Amino acid sequence: MQQLEAQEAEECVRRQQAHAGLRWKLQPERPAAAALLHRGDCARYPVVGGYIDRDDALIALGMPEVESCRVCRPEIGLTRR
Protein backbone atom coordinates (compact mmCIF):
# COMPACT_ATOMS: atom_id res chain seq x y z
CA MET A 1 0.00 0.00 0.00
CA GLN A 2 2.80 2.45 0.88
CA GLN A 3 4.57 1.70 -2.39
CA LEU A 4 1.42 2.53 -4.35
CA GLU A 5 0.98 5.79 -2.44
CA ALA A 6 4.64 6.71 -3.08
CA GLN A 7 4.22 5.99 -6.81
CA GLU A 8 1.09 8.14 -6.93
CA ALA A 9 2.89 10.98 -5.14
CA GLU A 10 5.82 10.76 -7.59
CA GLU A 11 3.43 10.83 -10.55
CA CYS A 12 1.69 13.89 -9.10
CA VAL A 13 5.04 15.70 -8.81
CA ARG A 14 5.92 14.77 -12.42
CA ARG A 15 2.58 16.13 -13.66
CA GLN A 16 3.06 19.38 -11.73
CA GLN A 17 6.58 19.81 -13.14
CA ALA A 18 5.37 19.14 -16.69
CA HIS A 19 2.57 21.69 -16.23
CA ALA A 20 5.03 24.27 -14.86
CA GLY A 21 7.27 23.73 -17.88
CA LEU A 22 4.44 24.95 -20.10
CA ARG A 23 3.93 28.16 -18.12
CA TRP A 24 5.99 31.25 -17.28
CA LYS A 25 6.49 33.38 -14.20
CA LEU A 26 7.46 37.00 -13.80
CA GLN A 27 9.96 38.07 -11.15
CA PRO A 28 9.17 41.67 -10.17
CA GLU A 29 11.59 44.50 -10.74
CA ARG A 30 14.15 44.96 -7.97
CA PRO A 31 15.92 48.20 -6.97
CA ALA A 32 19.05 47.49 -9.03
CA ALA A 33 17.69 45.03 -11.59
CA ALA A 34 14.99 44.69 -14.23
CA ALA A 35 12.03 42.38 -13.92
CA LEU A 36 12.81 38.87 -15.18
CA LEU A 37 10.69 36.43 -17.13
CA HIS A 38 11.30 32.77 -16.22
CA ARG A 39 10.03 29.44 -17.48
CA GLY A 40 7.59 27.95 -15.03
CA ASP A 41 10.01 25.22 -14.06
CA CYS A 42 13.02 27.52 -13.50
CA ALA A 43 14.49 27.01 -10.04
CA ARG A 44 16.08 30.49 -9.96
CA TYR A 45 12.79 32.07 -8.90
CA PRO A 46 10.04 30.28 -6.94
CA VAL A 47 6.42 30.71 -7.91
CA VAL A 48 5.13 33.58 -5.79
CA GLY A 49 2.20 35.14 -7.62
CA GLY A 50 1.35 32.20 -9.84
CA TYR A 51 2.05 31.42 -13.45
CA ILE A 52 1.26 33.48 -16.52
CA ASP A 53 0.21 32.09 -19.88
CA ARG A 54 1.98 32.32 -23.23
CA ASP A 55 0.20 35.48 -24.37
CA ASP A 56 1.07 37.35 -21.18
CA ALA A 57 4.67 36.12 -21.36
CA LEU A 58 4.97 37.44 -24.92
CA ILE A 59 3.60 40.81 -23.80
CA ALA A 60 6.06 40.88 -20.88
CA LEU A 61 9.01 40.15 -23.17
CA GLY A 62 8.03 43.05 -25.36
CA MET A 63 8.26 45.46 -22.45
CA PRO A 64 11.57 47.34 -22.09
CA GLU A 65 11.68 46.85 -18.32
CA VAL A 66 11.47 43.02 -18.56
CA GLU A 67 14.43 40.79 -19.40
CA SER A 68 14.68 37.04 -19.96
CA CYS A 69 16.31 34.84 -17.35
CA ARG A 70 19.74 33.90 -18.67
CA VAL A 71 19.52 30.47 -17.05
CA CYS A 72 16.18 29.10 -18.27
CA ARG A 73 15.90 31.26 -21.43
CA PRO A 74 12.08 31.51 -21.53
CA GLU A 75 12.02 33.12 -24.95
CA ILE A 76 12.92 29.77 -26.54
CA GLY A 77 9.63 28.23 -25.46
CA LEU A 78 7.73 31.29 -26.62
CA THR A 79 9.07 31.38 -30.16
CA ARG A 80 8.08 27.79 -30.95
CA ARG A 81 4.45 26.94 -31.34
Side-chain angles (χ1 to χ4, degrees):
M1 185 70 158
Q2 285 181 332
Q3 183 179 10
L4 181 59
E5 288 174 354
Q7 288 174 339
E8 287 177 1
E10 288 175 14
E11 180 59 29
C12 182
V13 168
R14 280 193 291 272
R15 281 194 305 269
Q16 288 173 343
Q17 288 173 334
H19 178 73
L22 299 174
R23 300 288 183 259
W24 293 264
K25 52 193 174 183
L26 192 57
Q27 182 177 0
E29 208 171 336
R30 293 147 337 243
L36 288 176
L37 182 68
H38 298 270
R39 291 176 53 86
D41 55 357
C42 181
R44 302 276 298 182
Y45 179 69
V47 177
V48 176
Y51 297 109
I52 61 175
D53 64 17
R54 182 179 191 281
D55 292 337
D56 289 335
L58 284 168
I59 291 169
L61 269 184
M63 300 173 77
E65 64 272 14
V66 177
E67 297 177 2
S68 292
C69 172
R70 293 181 185 164
V71 175
C72 68
R73 303 195 45 207
E75 69 280 0
I76 293 172
L78 288 169
T79 56
R80 285 189 243 133
R81 186 126 203 190

